[in-house]
Amino acid sequence: MALFVLAGMLVFLVPRDELLKDAPDKRTWRDIRWWGVALAVTQIGIYLIFT
Amino acid sequence: MVHPLDLTVIVAYLALIVWVGLRVSRRVHDAQDYFLAGRSLTWFVIGLSIIGTNVSAEGYVGASGNAYKVGIAQANFEWIGAIPAMILASLVFIPVYWRAGVYSIPEYMGLRYNAAVRVLLAVIASVFAVFAIAVGLWALALTLETYLGWPTWAGILVTGAIVGAYSVTGGLAAVAYTDAVQVLVMFAGGVAIVALGITETNGFSGFATALSAENPDHLHAFLPADHPEFPWPGVLLGLSIVLSPAYWCAGQTILQRSLGARSQWDASASMMFAAFAKTFVPLLIVFPGLLALVMHADIAYPDMALPWVVKNILPPGLSGIMFVAIIAALQSTVDSALNSTSLLITRDIRGVLLPHTDRTRDLIIGRRVAVVLLVTAMLFAPAIANLGGIYVFIQTLLSLFQGPTLALLVLGAFTRHATPAAGLVTLVTGVAVSGTLTLLDTNMLFVAFWSFAYALVCLLVVSFFTPRLEPALLDRLVYRRVTG
């Protein structure tokens, strides 16, 4: 569980500009750090159910 | 006898795959088109292709069998054993490889350390791949024999010809697009099994109640520390900290399609998207095993769980889709291994050992290598049944490299301290440490962890006494946060 909490927070160490520098546009959904957060939250939910 | 509806689904699928593959292959004009799809792939296609490459046939059938045996703990390979590493690959390692401008992970390791490290990693991956392709073809032939009654030689010939038709001519683009179709088929088959299985067992709550009543541990993700196969400390230390990052952050077959993205954003996003898909893969490969258990399947051994479910749960048409899904899992693994191995041999072995060869011939050489690999694997495939021990040996050999390789990658990509000479010393002695631990009958998960720990220390210490790379080169190869 702690691993996913850590992963969800550490993604923000990567600067947004670096990830989006050659993206087709700068819309919010392209900020994949939030994709990482969504993944971490999903995993926490899964392990809460099955632990 | 195969139902005509199932046969129609199977023939339609094979025709679709060949059509997609051959259509894409028209775009191949040079080596970059062939090995990296001309750096044109979008995140969505790459993400699906990553999952197609990852879910192998033995994974498909074996994971269902393991789930039948140990329960939901099998899904750790898809969740804690994949997602953190995929996030790391997406945000850190893919940008590092992208900035280095490499075609392969051994090429990156060669730039960061030296040519010996590059060739060594490429050779071990290539030897393993030949076996993996042969195993894949053999498994395909057995599947066709079981469902359609074809002799195994005919199965090997037909599937080799189909996979070869699109992957040898079309390269990575053909492999990625056909993989994407294959994964959609796999998910369609998986969703059908879940929907019908849940209906048969009176809904999710009925399913969970029936499962936990007779198998109380089967809905627990973590098994006791003394479990012989999946002890929870081993899962955390070996799987999530070493084996999984080694696979997702350093696996050429997986990462090659991300290096073929049209932009760095697409490359990084593809891995994140694949991680979302990966979260749901247990529905495809774990759920059937649990379903067979709840429905008291009359099977002789756990690996028969998936075939039993396909045969007993799915109606004609849907069972054809599921059969196709198994073929798809096999094909996507074989075609990806074929393409990435031809790259390793053409560029990372031939390119290093014969440095003065004409690089404009890489496309022709790559295709020839792919044909030779495919034919070798096809000839070799019938012998696989008798060479199981050798395959296990090669698999073990590959796993010995995982811990040391990851240590090289982590310290190489995150610090400027690691030196070329220390890299080679660490790789060789780290593999020796892994081998010794394996001979001492240590659990594979702990072998991975301790060899990784040893390699980190060795690399750090030896680097103090050996010369570093030029600062300008390190700027290109070491991760750094670029702002503004």
PDB file of all heavy atoms in Angstrom, chain B residues 234-269:
ATOM      1  N   GLY B 234       9.091 -12.133  -0.465  1.00  0.00           N
ATOM      2  CA  GLY B 234       9.713 -12.348  -1.771  1.00  0.00           C
ATOM      3  C   GLY B 234       8.985 -11.562  -2.849  1.00  0.00           C
ATOM      4  O   GLY B 234       9.601 -10.996  -3.753  1.00  0.00           O
ATOM      5  N   VAL B 235       7.648 -11.520  -2.748  1.00  0.00           N
ATOM      6  CA  VAL B 235       6.852 -10.775  -3.723  1.00  0.00           C
ATOM      7  C   VAL B 235       7.221  -9.292  -3.667  1.00  0.00           C
ATOM      8  O   VAL B 235       7.411  -8.639  -4.699  1.00  0.00           O
ATOM      9  CB  VAL B 235       5.336 -10.980  -3.453  1.00  0.00           C
ATOM     10  CG1 VAL B 235       4.501  -9.987  -4.264  1.00  0.00           C
ATOM     11  CG2 VAL B 235       4.932 -12.407  -3.801  1.00  0.00           C
ATOM     12  N   LEU B 236       7.358  -8.767  -2.445  1.00  0.00           N
ATOM     13  CA  LEU B 236       7.669  -7.337  -2.302  1.00  0.00           C
ATOM     14  C   LEU B 236       9.102  -7.023  -2.719  1.00  0.00           C
ATOM     15  O   LEU B 236       9.341  -6.111  -3.511  1.00  0.00           O
ATOM     16  CB  LEU B 236       7.454  -6.892  -0.854  1.00  0.00           C
ATOM     17  CG  LEU B 236       6.009  -6.661  -0.425  1.00  0.00           C
ATOM     18  CD1 LEU B 236       5.950  -6.202   1.019  1.00  0.00           C
ATOM     19  CD2 LEU B 236       5.340  -5.619  -1.320  1.00  0.00           C
ATOM     20  N   LEU B 237      10.066  -7.807  -2.187  1.00  0.00           N
ATOM     21  CA  LEU B 237      11.482  -7.490  -2.432  1.00  0.00           C
ATOM     22  C   LEU B 237      11.947  -7.934  -3.818  1.00  0.00           C
ATOM     23  O   LEU B 237      12.571  -7.167  -4.548  1.00  0.00           O
ATOM     24  CB  LEU B 237      12.361  -8.154  -1.362  1.00  0.00           C
ATOM     25  CG  LEU B 237      12.156  -7.688   0.079  1.00  0.00           C
ATOM     26  CD1 LEU B 237      12.980  -8.543   1.031  1.00  0.00           C
ATOM     27  CD2 LEU B 237      12.544  -6.224   0.211  1.00  0.00           C
ATOM     28  N   GLY B 238      11.655  -9.190  -4.143  1.00  0.00           N
ATOM     29  CA  GLY B 238      12.157  -9.737  -5.403  1.00  0.00           C
ATOM     30  C   GLY B 238      11.350  -9.288  -6.598  1.00  0.00           C
ATOM     31  O   GLY B 238      11.892  -8.797  -7.586  1.00  0.00           O
ATOM     32  N   LEU B 239      10.015  -9.447  -6.495  1.00  0.00           N
ATOM     33  CA  LEU B 239       9.171  -9.157  -7.657  1.00  0.00           C
ATOM     34  C   LEU B 239       9.019  -7.654  -7.896  1.00  0.00           C
ATOM     35  O   LEU B 239       9.328  -7.156  -8.978  1.00  0.00           O
ATOM     36  CB  LEU B 239       7.788  -9.806  -7.463  1.00  0.00           C
ATOM     37  CG  LEU B 239       6.802  -9.602  -8.603  1.00  0.00           C
ATOM     38  CD1 LEU B 239       7.311 -10.228  -9.887  1.00  0.00           C
ATOM     39  CD2 LEU B 239       5.440 -10.195  -8.246  1.00  0.00           C
ATOM     40  N   SER B 240       8.549  -6.919  -6.872  1.00  0.00           N
ATOM     41  CA  SER B 240       8.214  -5.516  -7.145  1.00  0.00           C
ATOM     42  C   SER B 240       9.439  -4.604  -7.194  1.00  0.00           C
ATOM     43  O   SER B 240       9.413  -3.583  -7.866  1.00  0.00           O
ATOM     44  CB  SER B 240       7.195  -4.993  -6.128  1.00  0.00           C
ATOM     45  OG  SER B 240       7.795  -4.838  -4.880  1.00  0.00           O
ATOM     46  N   ILE B 241      10.520  -4.981  -6.512  1.00  0.00           N
ATOM     47  CA  ILE B 241      11.688  -4.084  -6.495  1.00  0.00           C
ATOM     48  C   ILE B 241      12.732  -4.458  -7.549  1.00  0.00           C
ATOM     49  O   ILE B 241      13.454  -3.600  -8.036  1.00  0.00           O
ATOM     50  CB  ILE B 241      12.327  -4.064  -5.080  1.00  0.00           C
ATOM     51  CG1 ILE B 241      11.337  -3.410  -4.113  1.00  0.00           C
ATOM     52  CG2 ILE B 241      13.655  -3.311  -5.049  1.00  0.00           C
ATOM     53  CD1 ILE B 241      11.806  -3.308  -2.698  1.00  0.00           C
ATOM     54  N   VAL B 242      12.803  -5.738  -7.933  1.00  0.00           N
ATOM     55  CA  VAL B 242      13.863  -6.125  -8.884  1.00  0.00           C
ATOM     56  C   VAL B 242      13.306  -6.687 -10.205  1.00  0.00           C
ATOM     57  O   VAL B 242      13.494  -6.099 -11.272  1.00  0.00           O
ATOM     58  CB  VAL B 242      14.825  -7.162  -8.249  1.00  0.00           C
ATOM     59  CG1 VAL B 242      15.942  -7.507  -9.218  1.00  0.00           C
ATOM     60  CG2 VAL B 242      15.408  -6.627  -6.954  1.00  0.00           C
ATOM     61  N   LEU B 243      12.618  -7.837 -10.126  1.00  0.00           N
ATOM     62  CA  LEU B 243      12.237  -8.516 -11.372  1.00  0.00           C
ATOM     63  C   LEU B 243      11.323  -7.663 -12.243  1.00  0.00           C
ATOM     64  O   LEU B 243      11.503  -7.569 -13.455  1.00  0.00           O
ATOM     65  CB  LEU B 243      11.560  -9.853 -11.046  1.00  0.00           C
ATOM     66  CG  LEU B 243      12.492 -10.938 -10.494  1.00  0.00           C
ATOM     67  CD1 LEU B 243      11.710 -12.185 -10.126  1.00  0.00           C
ATOM     68  CD2 LEU B 243      13.570 -11.291 -11.512  1.00  0.00           C
ATOM     69  N   SER B 244      10.342  -7.044 -11.604  1.00  0.00           N
ATOM     70  CA  SER B 244       9.398  -6.247 -12.380  1.00  0.00           C
ATOM     71  C   SER B 244      10.057  -5.012 -13.007  1.00  0.00           C
ATOM     72  O   SER B 244       9.905  -4.779 -14.215  1.00  0.00           O
ATOM     73  CB  SER B 244       8.222  -5.866 -11.475  1.00  0.00           C
ATOM     74  OG  SER B 244       7.452  -4.903 -12.076  1.00  0.00           O
ATOM     75  N   PRO B 245      10.821  -4.202 -12.255  1.00  0.00           N
ATOM     76  CA  PRO B 245      11.513  -3.083 -12.915  1.00  0.00           C
ATOM     77  C   PRO B 245      12.493  -3.553 -13.991  1.00  0.00           C
ATOM     78  O   PRO B 245      12.646  -2.900 -15.025  1.00  0.00           O
ATOM     79  CB  PRO B 245      12.256  -2.392 -11.758  1.00  0.00           C
ATOM     80  CG  PRO B 245      11.463  -2.724 -10.554  1.00  0.00           C
ATOM     81  CD  PRO B 245      10.962  -4.123 -10.789  1.00  0.00           C
ATOM     82  N   ALA B 246      13.167  -4.705 -13.758  1.00  0.00           N
ATOM     83  CA  ALA B 246      14.100  -5.203 -14.780  1.00  0.00           C
ATOM     84  C   ALA B 246      13.339  -5.509 -16.069  1.00  0.00           C
ATOM     85  O   ALA B 246      13.819  -5.244 -17.171  1.00  0.00           O
ATOM     86  CB  ALA B 246      14.812  -6.456 -14.273  1.00  0.00           C
ATOM     87  N   TYR B 247      12.143  -6.070 -15.930  1.00  0.00           N
ATOM     88  CA  TYR B 247      11.348  -6.431 -17.108  1.00  0.00           C
ATOM     89  C   TYR B 247      10.789  -5.181 -17.808  1.00  0.00           C
ATOM     90  O   TYR B 247      10.907  -5.036 -19.020  1.00  0.00           O
ATOM     91  CB  TYR B 247      10.205  -7.350 -16.667  1.00  0.00           C
ATOM     92  CG  TYR B 247       9.292  -7.781 -17.790  1.00  0.00           C
ATOM     93  CD1 TYR B 247       9.634  -8.850 -18.607  1.00  0.00           C
ATOM     94  CD2 TYR B 247       8.091  -7.127 -18.027  1.00  0.00           C
ATOM     95  CE1 TYR B 247       8.794  -9.245 -19.634  1.00  0.00           C
ATOM     96  CE2 TYR B 247       7.247  -7.517 -19.051  1.00  0.00           C
ATOM     97  CZ  TYR B 247       7.596  -8.580 -19.851  1.00  0.00           C
ATOM     98  OH  TYR B 247       6.758  -8.965 -20.874  1.00  0.00           O
ATOM     99  N   TRP B 248      10.179  -4.274 -17.000  1.00  0.00           N
ATOM    100  CA  TRP B 248       9.467  -3.144 -17.610  1.00  0.00           C
ATOM    101  C   TRP B 248      10.373  -1.973 -17.965  1.00  0.00           C
ATOM    102  O   TRP B 248      10.040  -1.170 -18.835  1.00  0.00           O
ATOM    103  CB  TRP B 248       8.343  -2.670 -16.680  1.00  0.00           C
ATOM    104  CG  TRP B 248       7.249  -3.674 -16.570  1.00  0.00           C
ATOM    105  CD1 TRP B 248       7.034  -4.523 -15.529  1.00  0.00           C
ATOM    106  CD2 TRP B 248       6.246  -3.989 -17.544  1.00  0.00           C
ATOM    107  NE1 TRP B 248       5.954  -5.340 -15.793  1.00  0.00           N
ATOM    108  CE2 TRP B 248       5.449  -5.028 -17.022  1.00  0.00           C
ATOM    109  CE3 TRP B 248       5.929  -3.480 -18.814  1.00  0.00           C
ATOM    110  CZ2 TRP B 248       4.374  -5.578 -17.710  1.00  0.00           C
ATOM    111  CZ3 TRP B 248       4.862  -4.027 -19.505  1.00  0.00           C
ATOM    112  CH2 TRP B 248       4.093  -5.053 -18.965  1.00  0.00           C
ATOM    113  N   CYS B 249      11.507  -1.838 -17.277  1.00  0.00           N
ATOM    114  CA  CYS B 249      12.387  -0.694 -17.548  1.00  0.00           C
ATOM    115  C   CYS B 249      13.583  -1.071 -18.411  1.00  0.00           C
ATOM    116  O   CYS B 249      14.295  -0.196 -18.895  1.00  0.00           O
ATOM    117  CB  CYS B 249      12.892  -0.087 -16.238  1.00  0.00           C
ATOM    118  SG  CYS B 249      11.577   0.458 -15.154  1.00  0.00           S
ATOM    119  N   ALA B 250      13.854  -2.394 -18.560  1.00  0.00           N
ATOM    120  CA  ALA B 250      15.041  -2.793 -19.319  1.00  0.00           C
ATOM    121  C   ALA B 250      14.743  -3.860 -20.373  1.00  0.00           C
ATOM    122  O   ALA B 250      15.647  -4.308 -21.054  1.00  0.00           O
ATOM    123  CB  ALA B 250      16.116  -3.312 -18.364  1.00  0.00           C
ATOM    124  N   GLY B 251      13.495  -4.271 -20.505  1.00  0.00           N
ATOM    125  CA  GLY B 251      13.141  -5.336 -21.453  1.00  0.00           C
ATOM    126  C   GLY B 251      13.029  -4.800 -22.877  1.00  0.00           C
ATOM    127  O   GLY B 251      12.152  -3.982 -23.172  1.00  0.00           O
ATOM    128  N   GLN B 252      13.925  -5.266 -23.757  1.00  0.00           N
ATOM    129  CA  GLN B 252      13.945  -4.762 -25.126  1.00  0.00           C
ATOM    130  C   GLN B 252      12.634  -5.030 -25.867  1.00  0.00           C
ATOM    131  O   GLN B 252      12.099  -4.159 -26.544  1.00  0.00           O
ATOM    132  CB  GLN B 252      15.116  -5.397 -25.890  1.00  0.00           C
ATOM    133  CG  GLN B 252      15.176  -5.043 -27.362  1.00  0.00           C
ATOM    134  CD  GLN B 252      15.319  -3.550 -27.587  1.00  0.00           C
ATOM    135  OE1 GLN B 252      15.850  -2.841 -26.746  1.00  0.00           O
ATOM    136  NE2 GLN B 252      14.827  -3.063 -28.721  1.00  0.00           N
ATOM    137  N   THR B 253      12.104  -6.239 -25.737  1.00  0.00           N
ATOM    138  CA  THR B 253      10.896  -6.596 -26.486  1.00  0.00           C
ATOM    139  C   THR B 253       9.739  -5.670 -26.110  1.00  0.00           C
ATOM    140  O   THR B 253       8.934  -5.292 -26.952  1.00  0.00           O
ATOM    141  CB  THR B 253      10.511  -8.061 -26.184  1.00  0.00           C
ATOM    142  OG1 THR B 253      11.675  -8.859 -26.311  1.00  0.00           O
ATOM    143  CG2 THR B 253       9.473  -8.566 -27.137  1.00  0.00           C
ATOM    144  N   ILE B 254       9.673  -5.322 -24.823  1.00  0.00           N
ATOM    145  CA  ILE B 254       8.595  -4.446 -24.362  1.00  0.00           C
ATOM    146  C   ILE B 254       8.833  -3.000 -24.807  1.00  0.00           C
ATOM    147  O   ILE B 254       7.949  -2.339 -25.360  1.00  0.00           O
ATOM    148  CB  ILE B 254       8.503  -4.495 -22.816  1.00  0.00           C
ATOM    149  CG1 ILE B 254       7.984  -5.862 -22.355  1.00  0.00           C
ATOM    150  CG2 ILE B 254       7.624  -3.371 -22.266  1.00  0.00           C
ATOM    151  CD1 ILE B 254       6.561  -6.155 -22.720  1.00  0.00           C
ATOM    152  N   LEU B 255      10.058  -2.502 -24.579  1.00  0.00           N
ATOM    153  CA  LEU B 255      10.308  -1.070 -24.758  1.00  0.00           C
ATOM    154  C   LEU B 255      10.548  -0.653 -26.201  1.00  0.00           C
ATOM    155  O   LEU B 255      10.488   0.525 -26.529  1.00  0.00           O
ATOM    156  CB  LEU B 255      11.505  -0.652 -23.895  1.00  0.00           C
ATOM    157  CG  LEU B 255      11.174  -0.605 -22.404  1.00  0.00           C
ATOM    158  CD1 LEU B 255      12.433  -0.597 -21.566  1.00  0.00           C
ATOM    159  CD2 LEU B 255      10.330   0.615 -22.071  1.00  0.00           C
ATOM    160  N   GLN B 256      10.825  -1.635 -27.076  1.00  0.00           N
ATOM    161  CA  GLN B 256      11.136  -1.275 -28.463  1.00  0.00           C
ATOM    162  C   GLN B 256       9.996  -0.488 -29.106  1.00  0.00           C
ATOM    163  O   GLN B 256      10.211   0.461 -29.844  1.00  0.00           O
ATOM    164  CB  GLN B 256      11.424  -2.529 -29.280  1.00  0.00           C
ATOM    165  CG  GLN B 256      11.970  -2.207 -30.664  1.00  0.00           C
ATOM    166  CD  GLN B 256      12.310  -3.458 -31.432  1.00  0.00           C
ATOM    167  OE1 GLN B 256      12.565  -4.494 -30.830  1.00  0.00           O
ATOM    168  NE2 GLN B 256      12.295  -3.374 -32.736  1.00  0.00           N
ATOM    169  N   ARG B 257       8.734  -0.906 -28.790  1.00  0.00           N
ATOM    170  CA  ARG B 257       7.613  -0.196 -29.415  1.00  0.00           C
ATOM    171  C   ARG B 257       7.493   1.235 -28.866  1.00  0.00           C
ATOM    172  O   ARG B 257       7.093   2.145 -29.591  1.00  0.00           O
ATOM    173  CB  ARG B 257       6.291  -0.978 -29.298  1.00  0.00           C
ATOM    174  CG  ARG B 257       5.899  -1.387 -27.948  1.00  0.00           C
ATOM    175  CD  ARG B 257       6.051  -2.871 -27.595  1.00  0.00           C
ATOM    176  NE  ARG B 257       5.627  -3.873 -28.528  1.00  0.00           N
ATOM    177  CZ  ARG B 257       6.449  -4.612 -29.262  1.00  0.00           C
ATOM    178  NH1 ARG B 257       7.752  -4.431 -29.165  1.00  0.00           N
ATOM    179  NH2 ARG B 257       6.004  -5.549 -30.071  1.00  0.00           N
ATOM    180  N   SER B 258       7.867   1.451 -27.591  1.00  0.00           N
ATOM    181  CA  SER B 258       7.820   2.821 -27.067  1.00  0.00           C
ATOM    182  C   SER B 258       8.880   3.691 -27.734  1.00  0.00           C
ATOM    183  O   SER B 258       8.672   4.886 -27.950  1.00  0.00           O
ATOM    184  CB  SER B 258       8.029   2.825 -25.545  1.00  0.00           C
ATOM    185  OG  SER B 258       6.900   2.271 -24.905  1.00  0.00           O
ATOM    186  N   LEU B 259      10.035   3.072 -28.065  1.00  0.00           N
ATOM    187  CA  LEU B 259      11.079   3.831 -28.764  1.00  0.00           C
ATOM    188  C   LEU B 259      10.668   4.146 -30.205  1.00  0.00           C
ATOM    189  O   LEU B 259      11.290   4.970 -30.862  1.00  0.00           O
ATOM    190  CB  LEU B 259      12.402   3.054 -28.744  1.00  0.00           C
ATOM    191  CG  LEU B 259      12.986   2.790 -27.352  1.00  0.00           C
ATOM    192  CD1 LEU B 259      14.253   1.944 -27.439  1.00  0.00           C
ATOM    193  CD2 LEU B 259      13.281   4.094 -26.625  1.00  0.00           C
ATOM    194  N   GLY B 260       9.614   3.469 -30.675  1.00  0.00           N
ATOM    195  CA  GLY B 260       9.110   3.742 -32.024  1.00  0.00           C
ATOM    196  C   GLY B 260       7.969   4.745 -32.027  1.00  0.00           C
ATOM    197  O   GLY B 260       7.258   4.881 -33.030  1.00  0.00           O
ATOM    198  N   ALA B 261       7.782   5.462 -30.909  1.00  0.00           N
ATOM    199  CA  ALA B 261       6.677   6.429 -30.814  1.00  0.00           C
ATOM    200  C   ALA B 261       6.955   7.662 -31.655  1.00  0.00           C
ATOM    201  O   ALA B 261       8.100   7.968 -31.964  1.00  0.00           O
ATOM    202  CB  ALA B 261       6.482   6.827 -29.355  1.00  0.00           C
ATOM    203  N   ARG B 262       5.881   8.397 -31.992  1.00  0.00           N
ATOM    204  CA  ARG B 262       6.059   9.601 -32.820  1.00  0.00           C
ATOM    205  C   ARG B 262       6.597  10.781 -32.005  1.00  0.00           C
ATOM    206  O   ARG B 262       7.050  11.776 -32.558  1.00  0.00           O
ATOM    207  CB  ARG B 262       4.750   9.974 -33.496  1.00  0.00           C
ATOM    208  CG  ARG B 262       3.666  10.348 -32.518  1.00  0.00           C
ATOM    209  CD  ARG B 262       2.370  10.705 -33.185  1.00  0.00           C
ATOM    210  NE  ARG B 262       1.354  10.977 -32.172  1.00  0.00           N
ATOM    211  CZ  ARG B 262       0.151  11.414 -32.432  1.00  0.00           C
ATOM    212  NH1 ARG B 262      -0.229  11.611 -33.683  1.00  0.00           N
ATOM    213  NH2 ARG B 262      -0.719  11.627 -31.465  1.00  0.00           N
ATOM    214  N   SER B 263       6.496  10.696 -30.654  1.00  0.00           N
ATOM    215  CA  SER B 263       7.050  11.759 -29.805  1.00  0.00           C
ATOM    216  C   SER B 263       7.396  11.158 -28.443  1.00  0.00           C
ATOM    217  O   SER B 263       6.930  10.063 -28.109  1.00  0.00           O
ATOM    218  CB  SER B 263       6.027  12.877 -29.607  1.00  0.00           C
ATOM    219  OG  SER B 263       4.949  12.409 -28.812  1.00  0.00           O
ATOM    220  N   GLN B 264       8.174  11.906 -27.668  1.00  0.00           N
ATOM    221  CA  GLN B 264       8.494  11.409 -26.326  1.00  0.00           C
ATOM    222  C   GLN B 264       7.227  11.316 -25.483  1.00  0.00           C
ATOM    223  O   GLN B 264       7.082  10.411 -24.671  1.00  0.00           O
ATOM    224  CB  GLN B 264       9.508  12.340 -25.646  1.00  0.00           C
ATOM    225  CG  GLN B 264       9.933  11.819 -24.282  1.00  0.00           C
ATOM    226  CD  GLN B 264      10.807  12.796 -23.520  1.00  0.00           C
ATOM    227  OE1 GLN B 264      11.745  13.345 -24.072  1.00  0.00           O
ATOM    228  NE2 GLN B 264      10.499  13.017 -22.247  1.00  0.00           N
ATOM    229  N   TRP B 265       6.303  12.247 -25.690  1.00  0.00           N
ATOM    230  CA  TRP B 265       5.057  12.195 -24.916  1.00  0.00           C
ATOM    231  C   TRP B 265       4.312  10.891 -25.234  1.00  0.00           C
ATOM    232  O   TRP B 265       3.824  10.212 -24.334  1.00  0.00           O
ATOM    233  CB  TRP B 265       4.163  13.407 -25.218  1.00  0.00           C
ATOM    234  CG  TRP B 265       2.910  13.341 -24.402  1.00  0.00           C
ATOM    235  CD1 TRP B 265       2.763  13.775 -23.121  1.00  0.00           C
ATOM    236  CD2 TRP B 265       1.666  12.737 -24.771  1.00  0.00           C
ATOM    237  NE1 TRP B 265       1.491  13.485 -22.665  1.00  0.00           N
ATOM    238  CE2 TRP B 265       0.797  12.853 -23.655  1.00  0.00           C
ATOM    239  CE3 TRP B 265       1.195  12.117 -25.916  1.00  0.00           C
ATOM    240  CZ2 TRP B 265      -0.516  12.371 -23.671  1.00  0.00           C
ATOM    241  CZ3 TRP B 265      -0.110  11.639 -25.929  1.00  0.00           C
ATOM    242  CH2 TRP B 265      -0.951  11.759 -24.816  1.00  0.00           C
ATOM    243  N   ASP B 266       4.211  10.553 -26.533  1.00  0.00           N
ATOM    244  CA  ASP B 266       3.519   9.304 -26.905  1.00  0.00           C
ATOM    245  C   ASP B 266       4.216   8.098 -26.285  1.00  0.00           C
ATOM    246  O   ASP B 266       3.564   7.152 -25.843  1.00  0.00           O
ATOM    247  CB  ASP B 266       3.477   9.154 -28.433  1.00  0.00           C
ATOM    248  CG  ASP B 266       2.381   9.998 -29.053  1.00  0.00           C
ATOM    249  OD1 ASP B 266       1.259   9.510 -29.183  1.00  0.00           O
ATOM    250  OD2 ASP B 266       2.652  11.159 -29.376  1.00  0.00           O
ATOM    251  N   ALA B 267       5.553   8.137 -26.268  1.00  0.00           N
ATOM    252  CA  ALA B 267       6.314   7.016 -25.704  1.00  0.00           C
ATOM    253  C   ALA B 267       5.987   6.839 -24.222  1.00  0.00           C
ATOM    254  O   ALA B 267       5.693   5.731 -23.765  1.00  0.00           O
ATOM    255  CB  ALA B 267       7.811   7.257 -25.896  1.00  0.00           C
ATOM    256  N   SER B 268       6.013   7.942 -23.467  1.00  0.00           N
ATOM    257  CA  SER B 268       5.729   7.857 -22.036  1.00  0.00           C
ATOM    258  C   SER B 268       4.258   7.503 -21.791  1.00  0.00           C
ATOM    259  O   SER B 268       3.943   6.674 -20.928  1.00  0.00           O
ATOM    260  CB  SER B 268       6.066   9.176 -21.347  1.00  0.00           C
ATOM    261  OG  SER B 268       7.458   9.337 -21.289  1.00  0.00           O
ATOM    262  N   ALA B 269       3.355   8.158 -22.533  1.00  0.00           N
ATOM    263  CA  ALA B 269       1.914   7.913 -22.338  1.00  0.00           C
ATOM    264  C   ALA B 269       1.556   6.464 -22.667  1.00  0.00           C
ATOM    265  O   ALA B 269       0.660   5.882 -22.051  1.00  0.00           O
ATOM    266  CB  ALA B 269       1.107   8.872 -23.206  1.00  0.00           C
TER     267      ALA B 269
END
